[in-house]
Amino acid sequence: MIASADAHSTELLENGTAFTPRFDENGLMAAIVAEAASGDVLMLAFMNAEALTRTLETGEAHFWSRSRRTLWRKGETSGNVLRVIEMRTDCDQDCVLLRVEIGGGEAACHTGRKSCFYRRVEIGPSSQGGWPLAFIGDD
């Protein structure tokens, strides 16, 4: 069961055993998704209370689409369902980490790639001014 974060002190929030998720002013919290076996970060998405509840009840990742303004189950169109192996929350319970197995294929990203983080951004001054170049591909 999900408890209300408002009823708990910082001490209980950070050191207690109750799961008391804290949603932002839009009713959302960040969800980092990593592959359970490798630890690779696959994606970042957002959850509202309903998405979080459905994820906990079904064991499959559900998210809130900020662009479509609707609830969605990862893999409902692609077949690449994310089965949650473990869920963790951060110290102030405003973010969750989902450790998952990808079902139906090896892609978590809508582009067909395993991870949404497939571009490397160069650190340091840009030779063209402005933002640095981003490179596609693995190192």
Side-chain angles (χ1 to χ4, degrees):
M1 176 167 189
I2 301 171
S4 170
D6 296 334
H8 297 283
S9 69
T10 301
E11 177 65 24
L12 285 175
L13 182 69
E14 294 176 354
N15 298 307
T17 58
F19 180 41
T20 55
R22 295 175 43 184
F23 299 94
D24 68 15
E25 62 278 358
N26 298 310
L28 301 174
M29 69 184 320
I32 302 164
V33 180
E35 186 177 40
S38 68
D40 292 344
V41 175
L42 302 175
M43 60 184 282
L44 169 71
F46 292 88
M47 292 180 151
N48 62 6
E50 184 179 2
L52 181 58
T53 298
R54 287 196 186 180
T55 298
L56 291 168
E57 289 174 350
T58 67
E60 294 182 350
H62 288 72
F63 303 105
W64 175 258
S65 171
R66 294 180 302 164
S67 60
R68 295 187 311 261
R69 303 196 50 78
T70 188
L71 187 74
W72 59 286
R73 179 181 59 87
K74 181 65 176 155
E76 63 190 340
T77 56
S78 68
N80 297 326
V81 174
L82 300 179
R83 288 186 299 274
V84 180
I85 304 304
E86 179 182 53
M87 180 185 291
R88 292 178 174 252
T89 189
D90 69 337
C91 56
D92 54 1
Q93 298 197 43
D94 63 356
C95 178
V96 291
L97 169 64
L98 305 179
R99 295 183 63 239
V100 303
E101 288 179 345
I102 305 170
E106 295 298 317
C109 182
H110 76 281
T111 65
R113 293 175 173 91
K114 178 180 177 181
S115 171
C116 294
F117 297 96
Y118 55 89
R119 288 179 277 201
R120 181 175 38 90
V121 178
E122 290 296 316
I123 305 298
S126 169
S127 61
Q128 298 177 2
W131 295 105
L133 300 175
F135 298 95
I136 296 176
D138 298 328
D139 290 329

